Amino acid sequence: MMRAMTRNFLIVLLIICLAGCSTQRKADNNPAKVGQETPALQYWRSNNSYSPIMWIEADLDNDSRMDTVLIYRETADKCMLCVVLNTVGGFVVSESTRAPLENQIIQSKDIDQKPPVEIIVSGSKNGKYGYGIFRLENNQLIDLFADGMNDCC
């Protein structure tokens, strides 16, 4: 049991280390929050009452347009993850899924070398850590792999 947990931890650590250089931004200290928000974040704010905690920009669907993956706080003890997809017809917001409450990290990585690009999320809640790998399909975030997400979300 312990050997399997150690192996899983090392695999996830390797994936995170190999993950591409997405630009992760925290809303608290992000220059884009002060008058230089991306059009995707402006769209999000105009259509939602929740403020983003952090986000990354990445071309998830290989269409040469930057999409935005964001974590927002829904309540004091509940964070959510969604994607603001930049399409030819405008922005489309995906369905949301639970996200870690604290110490969030979002990365994008083309793990399987074909679109869409996978999204790696990790974080904690009350000292319990978890991570997940998601893919956006048909405007839904599909959980490909997760460990401890029920404890940190």
Side-chain angles (χ1 to χ4, degrees), residues 39-153:
L41 287 172
Q42 290 172 353
Y43 177 82
W44 168 262
R45 289 188 194 276
S46 69
N47 290 287
N48 293 280
S49 60
Y50 306 115
S51 293
I53 296 172
M54 71 171 24
W55 61 88
I56 64 167
E57 294 176 289
D59 183 5
L60 298 178
D61 54 0
N62 198 30
D63 64 357
S64 299
R65 287 186 298 277
M66 295 304 279
D67 306 302
T68 301
V69 182
L70 65 91
I71 293 177
Y72 62 93
R73 186 170 311 281
E74 194 169 271
T75 64
D77 64 344
K78 183 177 180 183
C79 288
M80 302 296 285
L81 171 78
C82 74
V83 174
V84 181
L85 198 60
N86 188 354
T87 71
V88 172
F91 294 110
V92 176
V93 179
S94 74
E95 292 185 16
S96 296
T97 190
R98 295 289 297 257
L101 189 63
E102 306 160 338
N103 304 309
Q104 302 97 336
I105 296 173
I106 311 170
Q107 296 177 306
S108 64
K109 174 70 178 166
D110 191 359
I111 295 170
D112 59 3
Q113 303 300 307
K114 62 181 183 178
V117 171
E118 287 74 29
I119 301 162
I120 303 167
V121 178
S122 63
S124 65
K125 176 180 180 181
N126 299 325
K128 295 183 180 180
Y129 292 86
Y131 56 88
I133 301 172
F134 299 91
R135 179 183 300 136
L136 186 65
E137 293 181 6
N138 299 319
N139 207 30
Q140 293 182 330
L141 287 166
I142 306 299
D143 182 350
L144 301 177
F145 179 82
D147 186 32
M149 288 295 276
N150 290 334
D151 294 331
C152 72
C153 299

